[in-house]
Amino acid sequence: MESISIGINYCKSKFKEKLKTKMNFLANKGLDIVFTEEKKGLTFFNCGIENLDKFMDKKEIDEKNINRLFKDYLISVVSETVIEDLEPKLIKKIIQQQYKKYDQTEKQLIYQLALQRLSSIANRSSDNLLTRINKRDRIQSELFDYLEDNNKVIIDGFIRFRLQDYLTELETVVKQAVDDYIIEREYEEFVSLLRYFVDIQDPKFKLVHVVKNEDSGFKLLNSHFDLIENDYLEGFSLDMKEEALDYEDLLISALIAIAPRKIILHFNSKNDIVATVKNIFIDKAKLCTGCEYCSSLTNSKVLQYEK
């Protein structure tokens, strides 16, 4: 059979190792694999089977099946290289070309957010754009069709001209990462403003305990675990039951209004409000690791359950 030549510009060493591993597997099956490397601007790896006729004489298998097996191995190496090694480079290229207004530090943050999105997409349900039809299968299908009429493929050109849908999807991921970055930046700017308000406030309490109500509201207690009167909160009420209220926003507003020197949060560390309070008040906010008040609440719930 004619050899197949694969040209690559980036990640050449990784590609070569993957290719050699696959070709060695075929060699162990009794096929005499020809494997050469040459540089013509790009690096080309040429692969073929030298003893095809002799091999077919000894095995009950036809040439078509051997050729298919050989191409499948080559195609798997190319698809793995695109997804595992070249995809991050494609992401960087899209960011550099399409988002020039951002500086290099911002571009790096966008790049990391894009990689996180790709990782989360891979772990989500199959109804997502990138996972609905497996990327690897799509790339392999395009490669197989291409190699039906060609014995040379340059990976960069193949991606550019035969995997345009794939590139469009990567561009979508980058756009979403840019949106994520903008939201994060606006959030950090807002948090910085809130920190400023906290810093300029005169502390009204040395210590405030934050406890959660059963209706998802919050209560603020002083160092003796007595309810802080609303007079101190300048009109903020955390005990109101209207569904439209955003209790977390009210809590943050109330804490900023009284600007305590220390805050202890008495609820689950996985609660989103914990991270928000800590982000604004930094080392002033701590999570309760166990106290008599929390124990009494737990015991009370147990007694209610036993009733």
Side-chain angles (χ1 to χ4, degrees), residues 170-184:
L170 292 184
E171 288 174 354
T172 299
V173 169
V174 172
K175 184 180 183 303
Q176 292 169 338
V178 171
D179 292 340
D180 291 341
Y181 169 70
I182 292 172
I183 291 171
E184 284 190 12

Side-chain angles (χ1 to χ4, degrees), residues 85-116:
D85 303 319
L86 298 181
E87 188 169 88
K89 293 184 179 296
L90 293 171
I91 292 290
K92 278 189 175 181
K93 186 175 181 180
I94 292 168
I95 295 170
Q96 292 293 344
Q97 291 181 344
Q98 299 185 17
Y99 298 92
K100 296 179 180 179
K101 69 178 183 178
Y102 296 101
D103 62 34
Q104 290 305 314
T105 300
E106 291 174 313
K107 287 176 181 176
Q108 182 61 26
L109 291 171
I110 292 168
Y111 170 70
Q112 294 298 332
L113 288 169
L115 293 185
Q116 289 173 19

